[in-house]
Amino acid sequence: NDTLSDSLVESEEPVSVQPSEENKGSSSRPPTQSEGQQTDPVDSDSDPINSLSPGFGMSLYDPKVFSEYADITFISCCVPCVPLASMKSSMEYRECSIVDCLFPPNVYQLRQQIRYRYLREDTKDGAVPSKPAPVDDDVMLKDCLVSCCCMFSPCAITQMAVELAQRNGQNPNKYTTIG
């Protein structure tokens, strides 16, 4: 079972979709080639907070994204178990249930799973390599700090939801519901 899902994941090319007015609420169709674009990692040298989330396509604290996706931001602050459980079940290609919300993954585990699946090493020709980028101790420590600090956890949940949704051509607010 894991081998099948891993082989499916390795063959998929990550795609980032910038929401437009016409597809902002749509989560059913994948992006077309003209809509899709590679997510550029955040410049972590310009801001110390950004240095805590290397490889992600958005900053750990990005007010523009928070206002654009207010639903996921609000839910991440008030009931973080819902988006955490919804993202985890989505990564396992299944529906989210109430039991998932009662026993959600922790932020660190989910960040590591997203890194393993989607955040891959860049190649010189821009092609997506078939294996994930190595995660060194420094990155794991940063993910641990982000996960343990209650000030950053809602930001990290929103960041992960946006990253995961963009990679799958969906709206991040999809992770605000169960089922």
Side-chain angles (χ1 to χ4, degrees):
N1 223 358
D2 288 335
T3 307
L4 176 60
S5 64
D6 287 343
S7 66
L8 288 173
V9 169
E10 288 179 8
S11 67
E12 293 177 343
E13 181 177 350
V15 174
S16 171
V17 175
Q18 299 300 323
S20 65
E21 291 305 314
E22 64 187 35
N23 73 354
K24 210 173 213 178
S26 171
S27 63
S28 61
R29 70 170 179 82
T32 63
Q33 188 63 22
S34 63
E35 292 174 326
Q37 57 184 343
Q38 199 69 22
T39 302
D40 293 327
V42 173
D43 179 18
S44 60
D45 295 333
S46 64
D47 185 3
I49 292 178
N50 290 341
S51 69
L52 292 174
S53 57
F56 280 88
M58 70 168 263
S59 168
L60 185 60
Y61 178 74
D62 188 346
K64 181 179 176 240
V65 172
F66 294 154
S67 63
E68 188 172 345
Y69 302 111
D71 294 350
I72 189 68
T73 304
F74 179 75
I75 296 293
S76 296
C77 290
C78 298
V79 279
C81 61
V82 173
L84 286 170
S86 184
M87 285 186 280
K88 175 71 172 170
S89 61
S90 174
M91 290 184 75
E92 294 173 350
Y93 306 105
R94 61 184 178 83
E95 293 291 320
C96 181
S97 71
I98 191 73
V99 175
D100 292 317
C101 293
L102 294 174
F103 303 100
N106 66 47
V107 174
Y108 174 80
Q109 290 171 327
L110 197 54
R111 285 179 77 80
Q112 289 295 301
Q113 189 174 7
I114 290 171
R115 279 188 194 287
Y116 181 78
R117 184 171 294 175
Y118 293 107
L119 305 181
R120 300 172 183 273
E121 282 184 329
D122 292 329
T123 58
K124 292 181 182 177
D125 60 359
V128 177
S130 61
K131 65 179 187 173
V135 178
D136 60 9
D137 292 339
D138 183 49
V139 172
M140 289 191 298
L141 178 63
K142 288 177 181 180
D143 281 347
C144 185
L145 289 172
V146 167
S147 303
C148 292
C149 182
C150 62
M151 181 177 78
F152 289 133
S153 284
C155 299
I157 293 169
T158 301
Q159 180 189 47
M160 291 185 299
V162 170
E163 187 78 32
L164 190 58
Q166 287 181 342
R167 298 284 178 163
N168 292 316
Q170 300 168 332
N171 187 314
N173 291 328
K174 147 190 173 50
Y175 301 116
T176 60
T177 58
I178 301 169

